[in-house]
């Protein structure tokens, strides 16, 4: 009797766990039955308590600085022309525009478009611009300086990245392409740096980037004989005869044997945007880190900023040879739980936001967050003599005060810009708009009422019993995102009578990318992660976390950032009765899992709020699983199997009827299904696991796309050079048909540590997927 009871309990528990996969046995162990619809009618979800945010609202919002101005195509930089009332914007693909600095300006004038270069196929090639700087005496000489790449497809050219001077003519500025004077060149490849500014001393400063692939594989960050990983300082106004520029006599390494005399500072991986404080003259920059940290530095003459011995304050490759001067510390650093790709800003000296006067304002490309701080010297130096000594010391004698978040945005903040009056703007790379900060309207602080336990969210009638609240709908997907062996259970919570606009989100338009669903305000997407503590045994399964993705609708249109998604993680207790809200920094948990006869340790990651934004991006239409291609499949609704799209249409969840029968609509193949051709399975895996970053505007800085909607030849991966190092593989390409051992994409998903993909959200190799990609490449012609 006891044995039979145990067997019965085990069967019931196993059936409940198997239901995670969407199509399994029905209620009571009966075989599921097929019906036209899985749900007969809609039950409104009325119990939501997911309102607002667990953090206090930021003090600033953002607004279009020039509401009538048309959007720019992938803008990268912005500056003003001294002596005029014009602002200049540089676009990524070889265009520069200017416009009058007036709030109601409604047009931008094209000042430059690079044309004429041909690729290896003889087709016209777009030539990237990285940055622009305008001469302080522009009103007299009309000089503009541009960092660009004339031959973008040829990595490692001895003369690839280039700083050129052009002359601007006319009241409506036009840049004379024929006036080009080449100032400085260095090989392109890897990080190209690119930012350039005139300093208060009249010299021009240029960042080169480390250009060395992942982890500074050439070890040139500390090497003064290499031009890479450096900030240069040159004199373009007083060049010697026959030269494009002069070397300032007070440059710090002019007398150092073997050093490039142009070097002003070094050990900089990718100083993405630096600026001079227009009053104090100090030089500030945002340094993009590699693995864990993003930094803000106050750059000093001769300064060594550590790369690649250090990453900020933290050892990276401490065994590597150091440069001749001490390694200096950042004034501020952010871990990758907050920031992912810092964009340096400016010390604010405008009149519009007086409370920010003297504060350094900067942001992050990946998360869209804007922060500020004010720096101070340590107070132990009190006499004028001591203060003079201090200013010659390292910036470890500086510290940040009033370090705080100013605004949260959905924009890709690629650059900040100043105008002649010191007012501050930022550039949205994806949307092409120019924005500014504005004081936020006073709103009720919802943080104190935000649910701190999963049981308080209104999503579950009982967390202990894993019972959903009325109106919350379970769903499943065709191609799952890898989660380090975690099993997943998914739910869709649409408030009240809200409806979904099927495939109505088309912005931003990216080649091959399918449209997204438009959700009503207050939508919550729910996903619970559980782990088999004995690998392959569902009886040992424990819930680890439940993630919420919460949608807030803003006024306006999708092009103007009308939607905002916030991600939250609730961590389950050991008793499996409830889950607690994790703080915004995220966390880790060491799991001990039985695999065969061994017990292994697995370091499981609970994502931070910022980490959630890295995959759930504007370019990916935010919701990765709740899409037509993922949802077009059968699901088990408690013993009834039916197509999900037809079911959701039947209960009135869509604003309009399906465009066709689901059998005729697009769907992702299940890459685990061995009956499906290898090509389709591999492409489906890359689409579901990688394309939210590897897409135009997705944040992945490798120039290729992995959407299933594109032909293989259009992905930009076959026989294409890697942009971030070859990982020690001879003749490496992203994919070499027939040779997975030479293919970087296969290597990256088959490794752990530095260079692994995905670089967030996973720490364990998906062995089955690695084999799938191997076989796919092996079979390519």
């Amino acid at each position: 009797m006891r044995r039979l009871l145990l067997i019965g309990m085990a069967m019931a528990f196993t059936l409940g766990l198997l239901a995670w996969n969407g199509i399994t046995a029905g209620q009571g162990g009966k075989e599921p039955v097929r019906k036209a619809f899985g749900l007969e009618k809609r039950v409104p979800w009325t119990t939501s308590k997911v309102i607002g945010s667990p953090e206090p609202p930021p003090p600033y919002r953002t607004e279009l600085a020039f509401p009538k101005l048309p959007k720019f195509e992938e803008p990268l930089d912005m500056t003003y022309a001294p002596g005029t009332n014009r602002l200049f914007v540089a676009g990524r693909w070889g265009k520069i525009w200017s416009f009058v600095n007036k709030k109601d300006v409604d047009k931008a004038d094209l000042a430059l478009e690079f044309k004429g270069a041909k690729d290896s196929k003889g087709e016209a090639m777009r030539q990237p611009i990285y940055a622009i700087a305008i001469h302080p005496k522009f009103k007299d000489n009309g000089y503009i300086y541009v960092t660009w790449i004339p031959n973008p497809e040829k990595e490692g050219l001895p003369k690839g990245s280039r700083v050129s001077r052009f002359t601007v003519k006319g009241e409506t500025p036009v840049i004379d392409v024929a006036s080009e004077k080449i100032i400085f060149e260095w090989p392109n490849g890897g990080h190209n740096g690119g930012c350039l500014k005139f300093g208060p001393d009249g010299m021009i400063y240029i960042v080169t980037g480390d250009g060395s692939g992942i982890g500074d594989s050439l070890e040139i960050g500390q090497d003064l004989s290499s031009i890479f990983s450096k900030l240069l300082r040159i004199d373009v106004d007083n060049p010697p005869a026959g030269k494009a520029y002069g070397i300032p006599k007070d440059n710090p390494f002019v007398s150092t044997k073997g050093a490039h005399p142009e070097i002003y500072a070094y050990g900089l991986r990718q100083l993405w945007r630096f600026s001079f404080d227009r009053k104090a003259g100090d030089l500030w920059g945002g340094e993009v880190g590699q693995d864990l940290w993003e930094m803000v530095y106050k750059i000093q003459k001769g300064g060594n900023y550590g790369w690649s011995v250090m990453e900020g304050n933290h050892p990276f490759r401490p065994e590597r040879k150091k440069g001749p001067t001490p390694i200096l510390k950042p004034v501020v650093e952010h871990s990758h739980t907050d920031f992912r790709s810092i964009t340096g800003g400016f010390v604010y000296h405008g009149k519009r936001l007086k409370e920010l006067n003297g504060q350094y304002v900067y942001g992050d490309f990946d998360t869209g967050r804007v922060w500020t701080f004010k720096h101070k010297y340590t107070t132990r130096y009190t006499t004028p003599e001591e203060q003079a000594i201090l200013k010659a010391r390292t910036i470890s004698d500086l510290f940040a005060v009033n370090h705080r978040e100013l605004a949260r945005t959905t924009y890709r903040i690629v650059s900040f810009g100043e105008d002649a009056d010191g007012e501050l703007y930022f550039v949205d790379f994806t949307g092409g708009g120019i924005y500014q900060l504005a004081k936020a309207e006073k709103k009720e602080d919802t943080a104190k009422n935000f649910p701190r336990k999963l049981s308080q969210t209104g999503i579950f009638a009982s967390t202990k019993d894993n019972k959903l609240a009325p109106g919350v709908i379970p769903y499943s997907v065709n191609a799952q995102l890898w989660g380090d062996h975690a099993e997943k259970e998914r739910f869709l919570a649409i408030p009240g009578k809200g409806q979904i606009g099927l495939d109505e989100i088309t912005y931003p338009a990216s080649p091959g990318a399918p449209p997204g669903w438009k959700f009503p305000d207050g939508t919550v997407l729910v996903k619970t992660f559980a782990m088999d503590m004995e690998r392959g045994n569902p009886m040992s399964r424990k819930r680890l976390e439940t993630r919420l993705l919460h949608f807030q609708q803003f006024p306006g249109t999708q092009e103007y950032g009308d939607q905002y998604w916030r991600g939250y993680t609730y961590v389950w207790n050991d008793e499996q009765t409830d889950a607690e809200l994790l703080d915004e920094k995220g966390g880790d948990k060491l799991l001990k899992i039985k695999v065969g006869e061994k017990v292994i340790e697995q370091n499981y990651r609970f994502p931070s709020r910022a980490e959630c934004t890295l995959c759930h991006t504007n370019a990916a239409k935010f919701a990765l699983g709740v899409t037509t291609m993922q949802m077009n499949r059968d699901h088990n609704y408690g013993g009834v199997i039916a197509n999900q799209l037809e079911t959701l249409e039947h209960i009135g969840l869509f604003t309009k009827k399906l465009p066709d029968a689901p059998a005729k609509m697009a769907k992702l193949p299940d890459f685990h299904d061995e009956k499906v051709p290898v090509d389709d399975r591999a492409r489906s895996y890359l689409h579901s696991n990688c394309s939210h970053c590897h897409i135009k505007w997705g944040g992945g800085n490798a120039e290729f796309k992995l959407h299933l909607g594109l032909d293989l030849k259009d992905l930009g991966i076959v026989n294409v050079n890697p942009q971030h190092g070859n990982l020690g593989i001879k003749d490496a390409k992203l994919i070499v048909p027939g040779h997975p051992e030479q293919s970087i994409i296969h290597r990256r998903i088959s490794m752990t540590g530095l260079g692994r993909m995905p670089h967030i959200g996973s720490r364990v190799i998906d062995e089955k997927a690695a084999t799938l990609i191997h076989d796919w490449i092996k079979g390519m012609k």
Side-chain angles (χ1 to χ4, degrees), residues 541-568:
R541 189 168 297 170
K542 282 194 171 184
R543 298 184 188 94
L544 300 177
E545 59 171 321
T546 294
R547 299 180 189 174
L548 308 186
L549 201 59
H550 178 219
F551 171 63
Q552 181 179 357
Q553 178 72 55
F554 289 159
T557 65
Q558 53 184 287
E559 290 86 355
Y560 284 78
D562 67 337
Q563 55 179 322
Y564 195 91
W565 291 83
R566 295 183 179 93
Y568 306 112

Side-chain angles (χ1 to χ4, degrees), residues 494-495 498-501 518-523 551 553:
I494 304 293
Q499 290 181 298
I500 296 170
K518 185 174 180 61
F519 296 92
D521 190 35
T523 293
F551 171 63
Q553 178 72 55

Side-chain angles (χ1 to χ4, degrees), residues 735-749:
I735 283 181
V736 182
H739 295 278
E741 74 282 356
Q742 290 178 247
S743 302
I744 290 292
I745 285 179
H746 177 255
R747 173 64 66 89
R748 285 191 183 278
I749 68 171

Side-chain angles (χ1 to χ4, degrees), residues 49-273:
K49 298 295 188 294
V50 185
I51 300 170
S53 166
E55 282 82 47
Y60 290 84
R61 59 182 175 86
T62 59
E63 63 182 18
L64 279 168
F66 308 99
K68 296 180 181 179
L69 192 65
K71 299 296 182 67
F72 297 99
E73 180 190 7
E74 297 190 26
L76 271 184
D77 201 10
M78 176 182 180
T79 190
Y80 71 96
T84 77
N85 191 33
R86 278 194 173 259
L87 297 170
F88 281 72
V89 172
R92 180 187 188 188
W93 295 118
K95 293 183 180 180
I96 297 175
W97 302 268
S98 77
F99 60 92
V100 178
N101 186 8
K102 293 195 306 183
K103 185 77 173 178
D104 61 350
V105 63
D106 59 4
K107 74 166 188 172
D109 302 300
L110 184 63
L112 171 72
E113 182 174 7
F114 286 130
K115 294 180 179 180
K118 305 288 184 182
D119 62 17
S120 58
K121 299 177 182 178
E123 298 175 354
M125 184 168 55
R126 300 199 292 180
Q127 298 163 307
I129 292 178
Y130 276 78
I132 53 175
I134 298 181
H135 198 284
K137 297 180 179 179
F138 175 80
K139 189 67 175 174
D140 300 323
N141 58 31
Y143 290 160
I144 184 170
Y145 294 77
V146 180
T147 302
W148 63 300
I149 300 180
N151 297 286
E153 73 161 10
K154 297 181 180 179
E155 183 178 335
L157 284 179
K159 296 179 180 179
S161 300
R162 176 187 296 178
V163 172
S164 297
R165 188 194 77 191
F166 296 92
T167 301
V168 183
K169 298 178 180 179
E171 196 65 33
T172 299
V174 175
I175 297 172
D176 182 6
V177 177
S179 70
E180 181 187 13
K181 179 180 179 181
I182 298 173
I183 303 297
F184 192 83
E185 293 180 299
W186 69 98
N188 62 296
H191 296 123
N192 293 302
C195 187
L196 71 164
K197 303 280 185 186
F198 277 93
D201 54 4
M203 306 300 166
I204 197 167
Y205 293 71
I206 305 167
V207 164
T208 59
D210 72 359
S212 184
I214 291 175
D216 188 17
S217 58
L218 300 180
E219 300 189 26
I220 53 182
Q222 297 287 301
D223 182 1
L224 295 181
S225 69
S226 169
I227 207 70
F228 282 114
S229 200
K230 310 300 186 294
L231 176 65
L232 312 179
R233 176 178 181 251
I234 59 177
D235 184 353
V236 293
D237 289 336
N238 302 288
K243 301 288 185 181
Y245 62 87
I247 303 294
K249 294 180 180 179
D250 61 343
N251 269 8
F253 302 109
V254 290
S255 300
T256 302
K257 185 178 179 181
H260 282 274
E262 298 91 346
I263 295 174
Y264 182 79
Y266 66 104
L268 295 162
R269 179 178 181 265
Q270 176 75 331
L271 196 67
W272 189 253
R273 303 313 184 205

